[in-house]
Amino acid sequence: MCLTLFLLWKRDLHKLVPMENSKIPQSSCSEMCKVGFRKSTREGQGVCCYDCIPCSEGEISNHTNSPDCMKCPDDQWSSEKRDRCILKYVEFLSIQEPLGFILLAVATSSTMAVFAIFAVFFKHRETPIVKANNRGLSYLLLISLSLCLLSTLLFLGRPTDITCMLRQVTFSILFVMCISCLLAKTVLVLMAFQATHPNTPLRSGLGSKISTIIVFVCTLIQALICTVWLASFHPFAVQNMKSQTGKVVIECNEGSPTAFWCALGYMALLALTSFLVAFKARKLPDRFNEAQLITFSMVTFLTVWTLFLPSYQNTKGKYMVAVEVFAIISSSMGIVVCIFIPKCYIIVIRPDLNSRNYLKGQLQSLTSIN
């Protein structure tokens, strides 16, 4: 009987206790923050009152009501919903994209055009226009230009330590060889008009030795600059994760900026010297005088590289490489167009102007005028 009364009393007592008091208190002023958001407590209000703020770029939160956002690793980036980290897009100037393919096609076609000009000059090597101004220098200039155009292929594709070391050094040495050939040509023109006596050393074979010395010394200086560059602090490939949002830019670190600008500066100094010498010899009375053509080519060269400097400094990633490749191709083809296209026109289209009889007539008319 007593046990029955105790059970009835316990049941009635349970009914008197409110069920709401047994539940956990819930916030009535904030909702649950979803993934991709973090909680931010409202000032002057309780802990249960907060705002849901989306995570910043490069940060994520992968669970609800996250108090903080987690930063993604350097090689990863936050997804659009900020709920997970994904690998960054890797960028470099690839030949599989339109820009890289166009530059590859232009460089290849330009090289083939230079080889075609070389074939024309070699086939007509005994004609006056080819023999004028040292045909050996013309051959060397055409070979250097073709190799310089081919060196742009080192700028295309994913950079590696080897390609980074080769691209700038190869281009610098080959381009200096081209400009030194032009300088040797103009120096020979000036010396030829000063050596009027038939038994002077220039007419007895010293001219070819002087041209060889000019090309060798000028190229050797650039080679020494590049050797010091490679020996001290050579270029290498890096993964730039800071320059562009959400991208890993594979690019070449030039190593020593001083050596890089010394190589470009020496090339510019040599081009300016060649321009000044050619400008001085541009009006010398010779039917096949190349000085005027060299002057135009050096104006083109200096213009291209003057425009290159601000463009190179104001671009990033693969577009910086594309600007340099375009400058190499355009300046090389500027030399080809200014110097060799007019001669090819005479050789192929107007062979009557490329004969001994025509030269004798020009000399006679020049003598009668004087």
Side-chain angles (χ1 to χ4, degrees):
M1 183 67 178
C2 293
L3 180 60
T4 303
L5 291 174
F6 175 76
L7 293 174
L8 291 174
W9 174 80
K10 188 176 180 180
R11 184 189 65 182
D12 293 339
L13 181 63
H14 180 71
K15 290 180 179 179
L16 292 174
V17 179
M19 293 297 293
E20 290 77 12
N21 292 340
S22 63
K23 293 182 178 179
I24 299 175
Q26 299 290 331
S27 170
S28 61
C29 57
S30 298
E31 296 180 355
M32 183 181 297
C33 290
K34 301 178 181 179
V35 294
F37 293 81
R38 65 176 178 85
K39 294 194 301 182
S40 177
T41 305
R42 297 176 184 173
E43 294 184 3
Q45 298 187 24
V47 179
C48 62
C49 295
Y50 51 83
D51 294 320
C52 295
I53 299 177
C55 294
S56 304
E57 289 185 346
E59 297 180 345
I60 64 165
S61 66
N62 53 10
H63 60 274
T64 57
N65 283 338
S66 176
D68 296 299
C69 294
M70 297 181 297
K71 189 176 181 180
C72 292
D74 290 338
D75 61 341
Q76 298 181 14
W77 199 247
S78 56
S79 62
E80 186 176 353
K81 294 182 179 180
R82 307 287 195 271
D83 59 345
R84 60 192 178 94
C85 292
I86 57 177
L87 289 174
K88 289 182 178 180
Y89 172 74
V90 178
E91 180 183 84
F92 56 89
L93 187 59
S94 173
I95 59 175
Q96 297 179 353
E97 59 179 296
L99 179 60
F101 180 78
I102 290 173
L103 291 174
L104 174 63
V106 173
T108 305
S109 58
S110 300
T111 304
M112 294 176 63
V114 175
F115 280 136
I117 294 174
F118 180 84
V120 171
F121 268 61
F122 187 78
K123 181 179 180 180
H124 300 85
R125 58 186 177 275
E126 298 300 332
T127 58
I129 195 171
V130 177
K131 295 173 68 176
N133 302 107
N134 197 317
R135 61 185 172 186
L137 283 177
S138 297
Y139 295 157
L140 182 59
L141 177 58
L142 287 170
I143 294 173
S144 302
L145 286 171
S146 62
L147 294 177
C148 193
L149 289 168
L150 287 176
S151 70
T152 57
L153 301 182
L154 295 172
F155 291 80
L156 305 178
R158 187 186 183 97
T160 63
D161 290 341
I162 295 177
T163 56
C164 287
M165 285 190 291
L166 289 178
R167 59 167 59 172
Q168 297 292 356
V169 171
T170 304
F171 155 69
S172 300
I173 294 176
L174 289 174
F175 228 135
V176 164
M177 185 178 293
C178 296
I179 300 173
S180 61
C181 288
L182 297 177
L183 178 61
K185 280 175 171 287
T186 51
V187 169
L188 286 181
V189 171
L190 288 175
M191 294 179 65
F193 278 91
Q194 293 176 358
T196 55
H197 194 275
N199 294 324
T200 55
L202 179 64
R203 294 185 180 272
S204 61
L206 184 59
S208 59
K209 295 181 180 179
I210 292 177
S211 63
T212 303
I213 293 173
I214 292 174
V215 174
F216 177 77
V217 172
C218 293
T219 307
L220 180 62
I221 293 174
Q222 183 73 319
L224 292 176
I225 294 175
C226 293
T227 301
V228 174
W229 183 6
L230 294 178
S232 59
F233 194 10
H234 61 78
F236 56 93
V238 295
Q239 294 184 357
N240 190 337
M241 303 179 186
K242 306 295 184 181
S243 62
Q244 298 188 45
T245 302
K247 293 182 180 179
V248 177
V249 181
I250 310 297
E251 61 185 10
C252 288
N253 186 313
E254 303 303 342
S256 172
T258 303
F260 173 71
W261 290 111
C262 283
L264 288 182
Y266 174 72
M267 186 169 58
L269 178 63
L270 199 62
L272 183 61
T273 303
S274 180
F275 166 75
L276 295 175
V277 176
F279 186 80
K280 182 179 179 181
R282 74 191 189 282
K283 292 185 178 181
L284 293 177
D286 189 354
R287 175 64 186 174
F288 297 133
N289 181 16
E290 286 184 320
Q292 190 172 9
L293 302 179
I294 294 174
T295 303
F296 290 141
S297 67
M298 288 296 97
V299 169
T300 304
F301 177 89
L302 293 172
T303 302
V304 168
W305 287 98
T306 301
L307 296 175
F308 160 78
L309 294 177
S311 302
Y312 186 80
Q313 294 294 329
N314 295 326
T315 52
K316 296 180 179 180
K318 63 182 180 181
Y319 298 104
M320 179 184 293
V321 181
V323 167
E324 186 170 1
V325 172
F326 178 78
I328 294 173
I329 295 175
S330 56
S331 56
S332 299
M333 292 308 297
I335 295 175
V336 172
V337 170
C338 291
I339 296 178
F340 294 102
I341 294 300
K343 291 187 174 184
C344 287
Y345 171 79
I346 294 177
I347 294 173
V348 178
I349 306 299
R350 295 294 305 275
D352 56 299
L353 303 180
N354 189 21
S355 62
R356 295 181 181 273
N357 294 331
Y358 179 79
L359 285 179
K360 290 180 180 179
Q362 291 292 316
L363 291 174
Q364 291 177 359
S365 60
L366 183 62
T367 303
S368 62
I369 293 175
N370 294 335

